[in-house]
Amino acid sequence: MSSLQEKRPADPVVEEPTEVKKQHVEYPKGVAVLKAEYIIQTPVNDNRSNEYDDDEAEGGERSKGDGNNNNNGGGKKRRGQNKNRDLRQKKEEIRLCSTLLDPDNIKECNFGAEKCRNSHNVEEYLASKPADIDGVCPVYQAIGYCPTGLKCRWLKSHYVEGKLLRKEAQDIKQDEEVNKISHASKDLLRKKKYDFKIANQVIPYIDSQIQNEENLEKRKDNEASFVEAPFKVSEKKKLYLKDAKIVSPLTTVGNLPYRRLMKTLGADITYSEMALTIPMLQATAAEWALPKAHKSEYPGFGVQIATSKHYQAAKVTEAIYRETTSVSEINLNCGCPIDLLYRQGQGSALMDQPAKLIRILKSMNYSSGDIPITVKMRTGTKDNKNTAISLVDRIMKENDVAAITLHGRSRQQRYTREADWSYVGDVAKTVKEWNEKKLDDKEKSDTQPTWFIGNGDIYTHEDWYNAMAIDGVDSVMVARGALIKPWIFEEIEAQQYLDKSASERLDMLKTFSNFAIEHWGSDEYGVGLARRFMCEFLSFTHRYIPIGILERLPPKINQRPPLWRGRNEMETLLGSTDYKDWIKITEMFLGKTSPEFQFTPKHKSNSYEKS
């Protein structure tokens, strides 16, 4: 028996009832079976649906009108979505000039009080603010002062007799967020004056490798003039992913506060949300915010990018290498199923263009300095037509990546049906065979083996250990399982089901709330963003069915429960499918919702009106 098999638990903490085992009851497929006392009759006028739309868990919507509401790869219309969600937060009607945030440190306004678009009347501004939120400001509590000053929604906790409180110097914490690009560098990118010292050599070299007659002569010239990047693949930072607890790149919900929470709950590896190369080259602030990380994430933090062009990949990779300080790997997204990206040749579309994919990976490797390159993909783009093995075989032959992650579904499949772990095992075998060839090759024996990571439907410690028992699988990446059940890595470590109480789950949400305020700010705008992203988080966590009310184990990630009540009111509230209840939960930590706050759930089944 392998060591992994020895580690697996013999029995879960919560066993299914003996009488169920004896009766061999057959249950409907896809239905979570609950104990009878927790099931409630669905009212006739209750139009709630048990459908889940999980595209946002990998790739997800990016902005209004991004094409995410179009038909999917299977030609079927995606139903039940709230299309064209407007998630922009309204700003204050009276905005205080930033020069007046700290009464003890008033600065000179560049525009002057008369011409400034913001208010210079402090008393008028303070009178216009909504009532302060009860409790201590999370930012003041965390770092010893509050940078938002008079704009803080918890102002009374650190504003006494006209002065902002500030802790002693030794108690002040420095900024703990890393990977912030400088204003000067963003300005150079915006003006197209950034000096891509490596990429400008890499791009013509990669261009020359495109095999056709018209560039054979040019290829020879470029090969002769190309100066190799300073780091070879074998000289890059070493990744160690064996048995690592990995959180998948997650768009929208995989933000910095969420990742920071996951680090407190046992995660070893985290990834940024997917960043697009064109907005990064245009120095878009929102896109360059994605590589930001909390210092607790490094080492073990990866930046994921999506692109369709090797020259864009080379430039962005070099920019990340030069402008960030705490990146362990740069990951190429070859699995995103979004229609817009697919039509642009990005994400999973690269799986149908292996030559282009190889060029992109090479350009990234040559331009990333000492940061290793990894890749994440699906089984293929179409159902019943898996292409990952042939693609991985080609990637391994080129020796271009430090790790390969495979999500066991095709693009067309999206999240319908279970992940194909049998095929994941076949791909793992291919990677293992290539790693063994490397060891026998004297020229490549000094390179690090390529790690292979499986992904798909990991929701319990049993799922994780079953996947880890597959030959060639070095670790397992968790996506939706870590959104619905954030303590999944604690279960893996404990090797048993953990029946978390409602109060324990609320504590996790409180931690997320504090991290969110630290990240987005304690003013009205920051509170609005924190509330919005907590609602996005709750759109997954509400799907958790407490172990103690289940009639049968193990729970499955795609099982839908009948309408149920929890063991107490708070557990019932945490399981509500109504987004208005999610907002109610946010008010426990972020104060009463302002009239200006906007949130529309992604799926219509979460938007029903109570009778």
Side-chain angles (χ1 to χ4, degrees):
M1 181 180 292
S2 69
S3 59
L4 282 175
Q5 290 172 318
E6 290 171 358
K7 286 170 63 179
R8 294 181 61 195
D11 295 295
V13 165
V14 185
E15 294 187 2
E16 62 178 272
T18 306
E19 63 269 21
V20 173
K21 295 179 182 177
K22 288 181 179 178
Q23 294 173 9
H24 298 289
V25 178
E26 291 189 9
Y27 299 99
K29 187 177 181 181
V31 175
V33 182
L34 309 186
K35 294 176 181 176
E37 61 266 33
Y38 297 106
I39 299 175
I40 58 179
Q41 199 68 34
T42 306
V44 175
N45 62 349
D46 190 340
N47 64 349
R48 272 175 282 191
S49 166
N50 283 327
E51 294 181 27
Y52 301 137
D53 181 355
D54 284 341
D55 284 336
E56 65 190 273
E58 184 188 341
E61 63 181 330
R62 295 189 58 84
S63 63
K64 184 176 178 180
D66 67 354
N68 199 34
N69 296 312
N70 295 325
N71 293 352
N72 63 19
K76 295 180 181 179
K77 289 185 178 181
R78 296 168 61 191
R79 299 178 180 177
Q81 285 187 307
N82 284 311
K83 299 183 179 182
N84 297 322
R85 296 200 298 164
D86 186 356
L87 299 171
R88 294 170 295 183
Q89 301 305 317
K90 291 185 178 179
K91 296 182 180 180
E92 299 170 297
E93 290 186 10
I94 299 177
R95 292 187 290 177
L96 184 67
C97 179
S98 60
T99 61
L100 302 172
L101 291 180
D102 185 349
D104 290 332
N105 187 24
I106 296 176
K107 301 174 183 177
E108 184 178 352
C109 178
N110 293 332
F111 304 99
E114 294 182 359
K115 294 183 179 180
C116 183
R117 290 182 297 178
N118 298 321
S119 174
H120 280 246
N121 188 327
V122 173
E123 292 183 1
E124 180 187 39
Y125 171 75
L126 291 177
S128 71
K129 284 182 64 183
D132 280 350
I133 300 171
D134 291 332
V136 180
C137 169
V139 180
Y140 177 79
Q141 195 169 37
I143 67 175
Y145 72 101
C146 182
T148 56
L150 296 179
K151 290 186 176 183
C152 180
R153 288 297 319 281
W154 288 265
L155 182 59
K156 65 183 179 183
S157 71
H158 55 76
Y159 185 58
V160 179
E161 297 180 352
K163 290 189 176 183
L164 291 172
L165 300 182
R166 190 181 181 97
K167 294 182 181 179
E168 297 296 327
Q170 65 270 18
D171 297 322
I172 299 291
K173 282 188 180 180
Q174 299 302 313
D175 187 0
E176 295 187 331
E177 293 188 4
V178 295
N179 300 336
K180 297 179 180 180
I181 186 172
S182 69
H183 291 294
S185 294
K186 282 205 292 187
D187 195 46
L188 289 172
L189 282 169
R190 194 176 295 112
K191 295 177 179 178
K192 297 184 179 180
K193 293 183 178 180
Y194 192 93
D195 185 9
F196 293 103
K197 297 177 182 178
I198 301 175
N200 285 339
Q201 297 180 64
V202 169
I203 293 167
Y205 175 68
I206 298 296
D207 285 341
S208 71
Q209 293 188 327
I210 301 174
Q211 300 286 346
N212 56 60
E213 292 182 2
E214 62 185 20
N215 74 350
L216 284 178
E217 187 173 342
K218 183 179 178 181
R219 175 186 174 189
K220 293 177 182 178
D221 293 338
N222 284 330
E223 287 180 341
S225 64
F226 176 64
V227 179
E228 190 172 358
F231 293 93
K232 296 180 180 179
V233 174
S234 60
E235 297 172 339
K236 292 178 181 286
K237 294 176 186 176
K238 304 299 181 186
L239 291 180
Y240 187 78
L241 302 180
K242 186 65 178 176
D243 299 335
K245 299 178 181 68
I246 307 173
V247 182
S248 176
L250 300 161
T251 298
T252 303
V253 278
N255 48 62
L256 186 151
Y258 168 76
R259 301 193 310 265
R260 188 178 172 190
L261 171 67
M262 292 307 301
K263 289 294 289 188
T264 70
L265 296 174
D268 299 317
I269 308 293
T270 57
Y271 289 88
S272 74
E273 300 173 62
M274 177 181 65
L276 304 181
T277 53
I278 292 178
M280 292 192 81
L281 292 174
Q282 294 170 339
T284 304
E287 216 69 21
W288 272 101
L290 301 180
K292 288 181 184 177
H294 187 263
K295 70 174 187 179
S296 63
E297 295 183 77
Y298 183 81
F301 176 68
V303 174
Q304 187 184 68
I305 67 171
T307 189
S308 63
K309 308 293 184 184
H310 65 270
Y311 61 85
Q312 295 170 2
K315 290 180 177 181
V316 166
T317 300
E318 181 178 354
I320 292 171
Y321 163 58
R322 295 193 183 282
E323 301 299 331
T324 64
T325 59
S326 305
V327 174
S328 299
E329 62 177 277
I330 301 176
N331 181 268
L332 177 64
N333 185 312
C334 294
C336 179
I338 297 179
D339 303 311
L340 178 66
L341 265 65
Y342 183 80
R343 291 195 300 270
Q344 293 175 343
Q346 303 184 67
S348 55
L350 290 175
M351 296 194 68
D352 291 334
Q353 304 176 74
K356 178 184 283 190
L357 171 58
I358 295 298
R359 289 196 296 272
I360 290 173
L361 289 173
K362 279 185 175 294
S363 68
M364 291 173 69
N365 254 316
Y366 291 145
S367 305
S368 67
D370 63 344
I371 304 176
I373 301 301
T374 61
V375 63
K376 186 173 188 289
M377 65 179 67
R378 289 190 174 224
T379 57
T381 58
K382 297 179 180 178
D383 280 352
N384 305 315
K385 194 175 181 181
N386 294 332
T387 58
I389 287 181
S390 61
L391 191 57
V392 165
D393 193 66
R394 184 163 179 177
I395 291 173
M396 292 296 294
K397 185 178 180 180
E398 299 286 343
N399 190 32
D400 280 331
V401 294
I404 295 172
T405 299
L406 180 68
H407 181 175
R409 289 184 175 89
S410 68
R411 173 189 182 260
Q412 187 178 26
Q413 185 182 350
R414 300 276 176 124
Y415 285 94
T416 60
R417 300 194 300 276
E418 295 183 354
D420 186 352
W421 276 93
S422 175
Y423 186 72
V424 172
D426 293 338
V427 180
K429 182 180 178 182
T430 300
V431 175
K432 182 179 179 180
E433 289 173 351
W434 271 105
N435 281 332
E436 290 170 350
K437 288 180 183 178
K438 282 187 195 178
L439 292 175
D440 296 332
D441 188 336
K442 292 181 180 180
E443 294 183 2
K444 296 181 178 180
S445 59
D446 63 335
T447 61
Q448 186 182 27
T450 297
W451 302 104
F452 181 76
I453 315 300
N455 175 221
D457 292 347
I458 303 299
Y459 188 49
T460 70
H461 63 285
E462 292 183 298
D463 294 334
W464 197 86
Y465 283 107
N466 286 336
M468 287 295 295
I470 297 173
D471 189 33
V473 173
D474 294 304
S475 190
V476 179
M477 182 179 282
V478 187
R480 291 176 297 161
L483 291 171
I484 299 170
K485 189 167 63 175
W487 60 92
I488 186 170
F489 296 123
E490 290 185 350
E491 287 194 347
I492 290 169
E493 190 66 27
Q495 302 179 27
Q496 62 185 31
Y497 291 100
L498 299 178
D499 191 9
K500 294 286 185 179
S501 66
S503 60
E504 288 176 304
R505 293 166 63 195
L506 271 181
D507 284 342
M508 294 177 196
L509 291 172
K510 181 180 180 181
T511 300
F512 173 85
S513 171
N514 290 342
F515 290 166
I517 292 298
E518 283 185 57
H519 180 59
W520 285 300
S522 59
D523 60 354
E524 183 66 18
Y525 187 69
V527 170
L529 283 177
R531 196 186 306 276
R532 177 247 163 140
F533 284 105
M534 183 178 281
C535 286
E536 300 282 9
F537 189 17
L538 287 164
S539 74
F540 282 92
T541 62
H542 85 275
R543 288 164 48 178
Y544 172 70
I545 307 169
I547 291 294
I549 75 171
L550 282 170
E551 182 73 24
R552 182 184 62 176
L553 294 174
K556 294 289 186 181
I557 197 168
N558 288 325
Q559 285 181 335
R560 276 61 169 165
L563 197 60
W564 57 275
R565 66 171 61 88
R567 291 165 291 189
N568 53 53
E569 289 185 8
M570 184 54 63
E571 193 167 74
T572 303
L573 181 65
L574 288 170
S576 173
T577 62
D578 183 4
Y579 82 99
K580 292 179 182 177
D581 285 331
W582 307 345
I583 292 176
K584 190 183 300 182
I585 293 169
T586 72
E587 291 180 334
M588 298 178 188
F589 315 107
L590 300 171
K592 185 173 175 59
T593 307
S594 70
E596 290 77 26
F597 176 74
Q598 299 180 58
F599 179 77
T600 305
K602 187 170 185 182
H603 204 274
K604 289 179 181 177
S605 63
N606 302 123
S607 308
Y608 76 100
E609 297 290 335
K610 287 185 176 180
S611 58

